[in-house]
Amino acid sequence: MTKMTEPMMDPVRLKQMCAMRVEVLDPDYEVVEIVAGGEFLYDPQVFWDWKPDNAWGKPEGSILISDIGGQQQPGWDPAMGHGALYRLHADNRLETIMAPGAGRQAGVFRPIIAPEGWGDWGGHIFFCSQIIPGRRGAVVDHMIYRLGPGDDKPHGFGIPPRAGSLGGGISGALMPGVFGRPGTPEEGLLLIISMHNCTIYAVRPDATIEPWIVMDGVNGPGPLMPYRLYYADPEIAGEPNMLVVEGSWGTHFGVQNRTYKPGHYRVVGRTVEPESVAALSGGMGHRAPAGFGHYAGQMFRPENHGFISSVHWTAAEPQALPYSAEIIRRDADGKEHVFATNLQAGQNLLGFTNNRLIITNVRHSYSSGNFHEPDGSIYAIQYKGA
């Protein structure tokens, strides 16, 4: 029997803490609560750069959602891994692909799907995770995992080598970034970011892993603690294939700014330019597909006082988070508008499928914040027109 190490929160109180208050400012769109906070999700993350033309893209209208938290039984067993993978269908049914804790690893952090032709692993899902569950495992070496189509348990792919002068060189708080695009210096690589040692790693299909850019301010630019690595939208960046690392210059895992306002820094070859790209100051967004009504083709992004996420600073306090987050819409002229408001703080991620914008809310952190309650939720904002 699983040993519980802490009391569970009253379910009624937990649901009250996570009550949905999302408001959409355009009457042609409506909000649907798919999974409420207080049910069974912990730290859900929609595949936030979702493209349906992949091995996981059927049936039409579905989208994948990972969960950093959750074990085979509710609560917290420090000896067990955590995390799951689900498919959200167009009828709001949630199908389990990888059951909570089934992989015995810790967490499923920000998964990404390999493109066809990436060695033997095209169409496989790659994600990063701890080797040891819980907060104590956050600051030891992490592992890269893969999950093939049809699999229900992940396979270890590789452990990044230690690099740089920060955090003992340990690749903690490790997350996938991008697969390198054809014709770029990073073509054929999977680039992974480590917040703990401020390093971008290059992963090859043969499972060799090397430090690509060490951003510790000693062995390379920085210090710069990366939060995200992405290709900027060409219409905003003004050029194709601009690779950008998001972070706050002068910070690292041991020295963070709680009023975090990220910068967006251009990656050029194997270095990072220290000047933030002004055109990207609004942060990364996603363009709505053709089915999303009169806002098709426009850019949407989450916003919480200048940052996508406040989850890292909401730790274990058993209280409701402020309803301070919004969804911002950027129109064809580059003007920004509030599209939805009253989202709860934490981490809100966005993913589009057909006429729907899927929103996942992490709220308090299961893995790094020691809040082991199912406070995660899923919403959809959908176009009501034909």
Side-chain angles (χ1 to χ4, degrees):
M1 178 179 288
T2 301
K3 182 176 74 173
M4 299 299 175
T5 60
E6 57 193 40
M8 301 292 290
M9 180 177 288
D10 174 64
V12 174
R13 183 187 174 200
L14 183 59
K15 281 184 174 290
Q16 291 173 342
M17 285 173 52
C18 307
M20 186 185 78
R21 300 183 189 173
V22 181
E23 296 181 21
V24 184
L25 304 186
D26 188 319
D28 290 339
Y29 296 78
E30 63 182 351
V31 184
V32 176
E33 187 174 46
I34 298 172
V35 178
E39 293 187 8
F40 64 93
L41 293 177
Y42 293 81
D43 291 355
Q45 293 182 313
V46 66
F47 276 40
W48 53 283
D49 193 18
W50 177 251
K51 296 178 178 60
D53 54 343
N54 66 74
W56 300 85
K58 300 293 182 183
E60 184 180 351
S62 66
I63 194 169
L64 296 186
I65 293 175
S66 61
D67 194 344
I68 298 171
Q71 297 183 321
Q72 292 176 355
Q73 296 184 33
W76 172 245
D77 181 346
M80 295 293 293
H82 49 84
L85 185 66
Y86 302 96
R87 179 185 299 280
L88 175 64
H89 288 262
D91 61 1
N92 292 339
R93 176 172 57 92
L94 215 60
E95 172 193 359
T96 300
I97 294 174
M98 188 177 79
R104 291 299 300 268
Q105 82 293 332
V108 182
F109 298 157
R110 209 180 281 173
I112 189 171
I113 300 174
E116 292 302 323
W118 201 70
D120 295 329
W121 314 117
H124 286 233
I125 294 174
F126 284 80
F127 64 90
C128 300
S129 186
Q130 298 168 205
I131 299 172
I132 299 172
R135 193 165 183 81
R136 69 190 182 97
V139 292
V140 298
D141 300 279
H142 281 38
M143 179 178 282
I144 301 168
Y145 293 85
R146 65 171 179 83
L147 183 76
D151 288 348
D152 61 2
K153 289 185 175 61
H155 307 274
F157 191 75
I159 299 176
R162 296 188 176 187
S165 62
L166 298 172
I170 295 169
S171 61
L174 193 68
M175 295 173 287
V178 297
F179 280 93
R181 291 179 176 175
T184 67
E186 56 276 0
E187 179 179 357
L189 303 176
L190 166 58
L191 296 183
I192 303 284
I193 56 174
S194 168
M195 296 172 68
H196 191 250
N197 65 7
C198 297
T199 296
I200 300 174
Y201 286 96
V203 184
R204 293 180 172 81
D206 63 2
T208 57
I209 306 169
E210 67 168 309
W212 190 249
I213 306 175
V214 179
M215 301 177 294
D216 61 357
V218 176
N219 301 283
L224 174 61
M225 186 178 75
Y227 188 76
R228 197 173 10 243
L229 185 69
Y230 65 97
Y231 284 105
D233 186 278
E235 291 187 26
I236 297 176
E239 62 178 81
N241 300 327
M242 180 189 287
L243 184 61
V244 175
V245 58
E246 177 186 295
S248 182
W249 203 276
T251 64
H252 55 84
F253 200 78
V255 178
Q256 301 179 43
N257 184 350
R258 290 178 181 266
T259 57
Y260 185 79
K261 176 70 175 177
H264 304 266
Y265 304 95
R266 184 176 181 179
V267 178
V268 180
R270 296 185 66 166
T271 190
V272 179
E273 295 181 342
E275 317 256 317
S276 183
V277 181
L280 303 176
S281 60
M284 179 179 177
H286 306 293
R287 290 200 179 274
F292 203 62
H294 37 266
Y295 296 140
Q298 296 190 19
M299 186 78 77
F300 290 77
R301 62 177 173 82
E303 164 81 26
N304 188 61
H305 298 313
F307 188 36
I308 187 175
S309 172
S310 61
V311 69
H312 302 293
W313 306 307
T314 55
E317 296 85 356
Q319 61 191 22
L321 299 180
Y323 288 81
S324 55
E326 299 174 324
I327 297 175
I328 304 299
R329 172 177 63 86
R330 180 185 178 115
D331 65 23
D333 297 322
K335 296 179 180 178
E336 294 196 334
H337 314 266
V338 176
F339 176 67
T341 188
N342 287 342
L343 282 78
Q344 211 163 4
Q347 184 194 67
N348 290 281
L349 292 180
L350 310 181
F352 281 102
T353 173
N354 290 349
N355 69 331
R356 304 208 297 172
L357 171 60
I358 305 300
I359 307 159
T360 54
N361 192 330
V362 164
R363 295 189 176 85
H364 295 281
S365 174
Y366 180 94
S367 61
S368 63
N370 295 326
F371 187 86
H372 302 132
E373 305 286 348
D375 64 338
S377 61
I378 305 175
Y379 311 134
I381 297 178
Q382 55 195 37
Y383 178 57
K384 296 190 294 185

